[in-house]
Amino acid sequence: MNPDLSRERATASFSPEIITHILDGGPERTRRRREIESLVINDPSFQHEDPNFLSRSERYEVAIKKSAQMVQKMRQHGISDPEEIYWFKRTGLGSQTDPLGLHFSMFSNVLVNQCSDSQSKKWVPLAGRLQVIGTYAQTELGHGTHLRGLETTATYDPSSQEFILHSPTVSSIKWWPGGLGKTSNHAVVLAQLYTQGECKGLHAFIVPIRQLGTHEPLPGVTVGDIGPKFGFDETDNGFLKFDKFRIPRENMLMKYAQVEPDGTYVKPLSDKLTYGTMVFIRSMIVGDSARSLSRACTIAVRYSAVRHQSEIRPGEPEPQILDFQTQQYKLFPLLATAYAFQFVGSYMNQTYHRITGDIHQGNLSELPELHALSAGLKAFTTWVASTGIEECRMACGGHGYSRCSGIPDIYVTFTPACTYEGENTVMMLQTARFLFKSYTAAVSGEQVGGMVSYLNDVSLQRVQAQPLAHRSATDINDLSSLVEAYKQRAAWLVVAASKSVHSDLKRGKRKEDAWNKNTVDWVRATEAHCHYVVVKLFVDKLSEILDVASHRILSSLCLLYALHGISRNTGDFFQAGILTTFQVEQVQQRIKDLLSVIRPNAVALVDAFDYTDSQLGSVLGRYDGNVYENMFEWAKKSPLNKTQVHESFYKYLKPLQSKL
């Protein structure tokens, strides 16, 4: 064990194990998670060659091998609980991606939630046994987040009781679905439904794309891999084109909407019922933001404790770079953010399952807010996490640029979350529409609930709330006061954006134009709303923590998160009259004080995330801290080092030298 890391762990003021239990949801869940992970770690089947030294085709093949092994091993061990499956796969994959990922997430989720009873009996078991391997084909070359613009058609032919799938333009070719290029033999395809001469909008269809047994594309189907990307080298993101391809009527997902044999369309009770899969995936992405950022923080903090460089006092030994306040200012707010997002991710998961249960009982009242919250938090957390991961890489100096640091793989694997399952700006504006609707209801005298209940206190003229500027300056140390400050900021920005839209409407602008003219303000307001939600949920979580030492350090992290957010958005708090100049100066000083509080606990705080070395996939972030010798061993594995003299020397360089 590196002596620096040993010393860091010995100085912690709390037990990392207790915080691990808090993050997991209890000691028993920690025990079971570790038990699942050990099944992978101790299994020689999962010891594969470092993918950094493989070609893309080789990486795909290794990933498929791993995916197949994971399925077989989980069957052997009887692992079927969704969360336990996730723990197993996360450990098996490490920093790599899974070509079967969409099969187990979106494809299977759609089957469970949108199949009729008879369809479920047929398709769900087939997908469970992987006789049917599926993906989710929504995005097209010409359209992504704007679903109404999708061009793929599904035209019903009552004479044969079939749907005819067709790609009428180049821009209508399905593009990007993971596992589509080479892995899947079926896809859930979103297409514009035409029946009895009318377009009924987007509906989902189960479409076979490859022959079972031979895996050859079916006639009328053109399918393949879209080529190298920024990351996701193991995943065969693909394209899919239909040429009047026919599927049976029963392949339309018919839990909510149906097409009868004669072509009669039966519309669903509510269009919102199809939100389920989108909300589920976006809620998962919030948790992924936390995990990806926490992995990057773990690597950067451990490495910063091991790395010695420069001088603080001339003539003295080089200090750990974690002793420099600038390094602490880079990393500790990100560490606090990772914890905040962990708690928000847990909240979203619990809320999704609770509201889904209500939906199954016919209660759709909370679905609009869940849809809005999942969209906004998906955008807010992925933007912050993506930027934070890159900051962690740069905080590791030059070595952070090496693939052996693990952070480049975390970044390129995570950053697509800013655009998949809804481009982030569009997601923010979806939440903004909900905020505008809620505000309009509130000023009309209706009571709104949930996370937007603060809008009950506003009117078109002003925010009905007492500014913190009118209170004691010590309020910056009070978490409940800071929650109130964030609430006031969100209300102020929502009111301002709403007033701008209403003003344009009064001047005769069309509703769509008035909205588009103010979307920059609405993105800003939505970010403030999401920021308030994150601060509130972090503070709420503290009330559940009984261990005194854990409560103390997590309260410091929470305070740092809230104050750092104020320092990054000072203008909003000034303009809204929430903070004075003196209080903002206090905020800046308090942040520096908190850096000193967190410094002796930083390594223990990242240890509490409880990542194994295989899950981190990082030489810099190794638990034992033995970085340099292992970097050297890693470099020697490069294929370029298999020979002392590369053949290109004889082909190209030596002829040049002989002519000199």
Side-chain angles (χ1 to χ4, degrees), residues 323-509:
D323 285 337
F324 289 97
Q325 189 185 64
T326 49
Q327 188 77 347
Q328 296 167 17
Y329 190 74
K330 290 175 187 176
L331 295 179
F332 294 172
L334 293 175
L335 179 57
T337 302
Y339 269 90
F341 288 1
Q342 287 269 3
F343 298 137
V344 174
S346 296
Y347 170 85
M348 288 302 298
N349 183 49
Q350 294 164 9
T351 303
Y352 169 78
H353 287 295
R354 177 178 61 80
I355 294 178
T356 299
D358 292 342
I359 292 170
H360 290 156
Q361 298 299 317
N363 179 6
L364 307 181
S365 60
E366 291 189 80
L367 184 56
E369 182 178 12
L370 178 62
H371 179 254
L373 193 60
S374 65
L377 286 175
K378 179 267 183 189
F380 181 81
T381 59
T382 55
W383 267 334
V384 171
S386 181
T387 301
I389 293 165
E390 175 64 359
E391 289 177 10
C392 286
R393 184 192 66 78
M394 290 190 286
C396 292
H399 290 330
Y401 190 65
S402 171
R403 294 290 285 269
C404 82
S405 75
I407 300 182
D409 279 338
I410 296 173
Y411 181 77
V412 299
T413 299
F414 177 75
T415 198
C418 294
T419 48
Y420 65 54
E421 299 311 316
E423 191 277 330
N424 276 358
T425 301
V426 178
M427 292 296 95
M428 282 289 186
L429 292 174
Q430 284 190 12
T431 306
R433 291 184 185 278
F434 176 77
L435 292 173
F436 183 53
K437 184 178 179 180
S438 299
Y439 168 81
T440 303
V443 296
S444 300
E446 295 181 34
Q447 288 289 304
V448 295
M451 291 294 184
V452 294
S453 58
Y454 61 83
L455 295 176
N456 292 321
D457 299 325
V458 303
S459 69
L460 280 171
Q461 285 73 41
R462 64 193 181 93
V463 179
Q464 301 288 346
Q466 181 188 8
L468 278 187
H470 298 164
R471 302 180 186 177
S472 166
T474 58
D475 279 343
I476 66 160
N477 292 304
D478 180 67
L479 289 171
S480 61
S481 294
L482 293 175
V483 172
E484 182 66 24
Y486 274 90
K487 181 195 295 183
Q488 291 179 41
R489 173 194 175 218
W492 176 70
L493 286 167
V494 170
V495 169
S498 298
K499 288 173 69 174
S500 295
V501 173
H502 282 294
S503 295
D504 285 331
L505 290 172
K506 287 180 180 178
R507 287 195 290 267
K509 284 189 176 292

Side-chain angles (χ1 to χ4, degrees), residues 262-294:
D262 66 355
T264 301
Y265 178 72
V266 181
K267 66 180 183 180
L269 294 175
S270 171
D271 293 336
K272 296 183 177 68
L273 290 169
T274 58
Y275 286 176
T277 299
M278 290 188 295
V279 171
F280 170 70
I281 297 299
R282 289 168 188 166
S283 297
M284 283 183 60
I285 291 173
V286 175
D288 287 341
S289 298
R291 285 181 285 273
S292 296
L293 181 57
S294 62

